[in-house]
């Protein structure tokens, strides 16, 4: 009897082990997925980290709905710090990243092969997974500063962010429309973290940051240094929007950063993009995991700026073609017709183009799947 029991237990153990090996995620292919973000002090970096954890499902026994991850089986995604949109796209092109967070204006230039992505630098294979949240053009000064307008930045010590950032590209466009050339300011360029430190210690007078609002690092600064944002409005804002149709007018509400007045500025959409070399089933899995109900709890830990991410807005103002894996997901969700058409209005009814509280809706490139007619 005793022996028989031992035999049963041993047999059950072997059966369990074999079943475990067959079903084990270890037997799955492990997919590494590198996600480019931005400065560690920005908004992309924490958002990218949360997206990476939402889409990952490393080998292990736990299942979605049973306390386990609802990510892509076998996926190990990692968020990497970077200089921002331009450098992320270059890293995708060079095969150093699979995916990234980027500004929609920069993604558009890369796909179309327009400067700074002209000629061989074009990245026609860049594809979108989703539009995530609006990024406002912050031009931050001390509240007591004599600098009241962008024009007052002439001759001042300012940071436009580093080469490779999307912030710098927009900062230069803004300054140009106010007649300020690169030699008209004293540039002490840095990413947003050091920019905040330098404004605090008085080493610079202003810095640019194009990112979700409120940006935690700026909120932190506002606790000790009263701040103001410089307005970008009127004819000049209209001219900038004409030069960069992916920008929309928005108002950063009062008190976003301490006791600050509501400030009109411009904003651009943040996109999650991927290389078209990533397999369709993988991108389908990533898109599904991104918008899985369990991901909401993860995204709700994100900086407030990024909690605006909603599947309903995922196709709003996507400036470049969607990846076929994402198309498959949105079709299943009936967000895309079979021809790739999408419902005309934003969830909140914002129009596409012009002034909007939902700048991601202001991009001219309607959501299209590759090969579909505009
Ligand atoms: N939009 C910025 C850029 O591409 C980065 C914003 C962020 O780090 O949150 O430079």
């Amino acid at each position: 009897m005793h022996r028989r029991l031992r035999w049963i237990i041993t047999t059950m153990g072997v059966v369990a082990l074999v079943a475990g090996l067959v079903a084990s995620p270890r037997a799955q292919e492990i997919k590494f997925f590198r996600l480019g973000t931005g400065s560690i002090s920005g908004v992309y970096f924490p958002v990218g980290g949360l997206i990476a954890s939402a889409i990952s499902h490393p080998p292990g026994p736990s299942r979605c709905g049973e306390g386990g991850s609802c990510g892509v089986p076998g996926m190990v995604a990692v968020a990497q710090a970077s200089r921002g949109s331009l450098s992320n796209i270059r890293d995708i092109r060079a095969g150093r990243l699979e995916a990234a967070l980027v500004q929609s204006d920069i993604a558009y230039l890369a796909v179309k092969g327009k400067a700074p992505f002209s000629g061989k630098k074009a990245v026609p294979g860049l594809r979108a997974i989703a539009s995530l949240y609006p990024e406002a053009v912050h031009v931050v000064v001390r509240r007591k500063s004599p600098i009241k307008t962008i024009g007052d930045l002439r001759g001042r010590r300012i940071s436009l962010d580093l080469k490779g950032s999307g912030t710098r590209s927009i900062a230069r466009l803004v300054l140009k429309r106010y007649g300020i050339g690169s030699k008209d300011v004293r540039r002490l360029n840095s990413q947003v973290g050091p920019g905040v430190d330098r404004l605090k210690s008085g080493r610079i007078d202003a810095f640019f940051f194009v990112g979700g609002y409120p940006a935690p690092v700026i909120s932190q600064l506002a606790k000790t240094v009263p701040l103001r944002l410089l307005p970008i409005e009127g004819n000049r804002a209209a001219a900038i929007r004409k030069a960069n149709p992916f920008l929309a007018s928005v108002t950063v509400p009062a008190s976003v950063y301490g006791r600050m007045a509501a400030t009109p500025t411009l904003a651009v959409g943040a996109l999650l993009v991927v290389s078209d070399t990533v397999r369709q089933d993988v991108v389908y899995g990533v898109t599904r995991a991104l918008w899985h109900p369990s991901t909401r709890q993860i995204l709700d830990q994100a900086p407030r700026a990024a909690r605006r991410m909603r599947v309903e807005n995922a196709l709003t103002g996507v400036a470049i073609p969607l990846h076929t894996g994402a198309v498959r997901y949105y079709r299943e969700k009936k967000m895309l017709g079979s021809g790739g058409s999408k419902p005309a209005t934003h969830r909140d009814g914002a129009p596409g183009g012009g002034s909007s509280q939902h700048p991601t809706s202001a991009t001219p490139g309607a959501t299209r799947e590759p090969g579909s007619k505009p």
Side-chain angles (χ1 to χ4, degrees), residues 108 112 128 246 314-322 336 340-344 352 360-370 372-374:
Y108 178 82
K112 291 285 174 191
F246 294 92
L315 298 179
T316 309
V318 176
I320 61 169
L322 286 167
L336 279 179
S341 58
K342 76 177 190 78
T360 52
S361 67
T363 56
T367 301
R368 290 193 282 277
E369 63 181 290
S372 72
K373 289 207 181 104

Side-chain angles (χ1 to χ4, degrees), residues 224-273:
T224 51
V225 179
L227 299 178
R228 250 185 312 116
L229 298 182
L230 297 184
I232 307 175
E233 59 189 332
N235 291 344
R236 289 221 173 76
I240 296 166
R241 283 207 316 261
K242 213 168 159 199
N244 183 342
F246 294 92
L247 289 172
S249 290
V250 291
T251 298
V252 176
S255 307
V256 162
Y257 298 112
R259 280 181 29 244
M260 183 199 86
T263 311
T265 184
L266 296 166
V268 68
L271 300 182
L272 175 60
V273 297

Side-chain angles (χ1 to χ4, degrees), residues 30-38 45 48-49 51-53 55-56 74-82 87-102 126 129 272-275 277-278 282-283 286:
I30 297 182
K31 301 178 252 307
F32 290 102
F33 198 77
R34 295 161 296 180
L35 179 67
T37 62
F45 185 71
I51 291 177
S53 70
I55 65 176
S56 290
M75 176 165 285
V76 177
V78 194
Q80 297 186 3
S82 79
S87 77
N88 287 345
I89 293 176
R90 288 182 187 130
D91 283 346
I92 287 181
R93 182 172 178 270
R96 289 188 288 265
L97 293 174
E98 279 69 46
L101 298 177
V102 300
L126 194 68
I129 293 181
L272 175 60
V273 297
V274 66
S275 165
T277 56
V278 181
V282 173
V283 176
V286 167

Side-chain angles (χ1 to χ4, degrees), residues 42-44 84-85 103 135 165-167 209-210:
V43 180
Y44 281 2
S85 297
Q103 291 173 199
E135 296 188 81
S165 69
T167 294
F209 176 63
V210 177

Side-chain angles (χ1 to χ4, degrees), residues 124-145:
L126 194 68
R127 294 287 177 267
I129 293 181
S131 172
L132 299 178
Y133 61 89
E135 296 188 81
V137 181
H138 296 71
V139 192
V140 184
V141 296
R142 285 169 171 263
R143 193 182 298 157
K144 285 192 187 138
S145 166

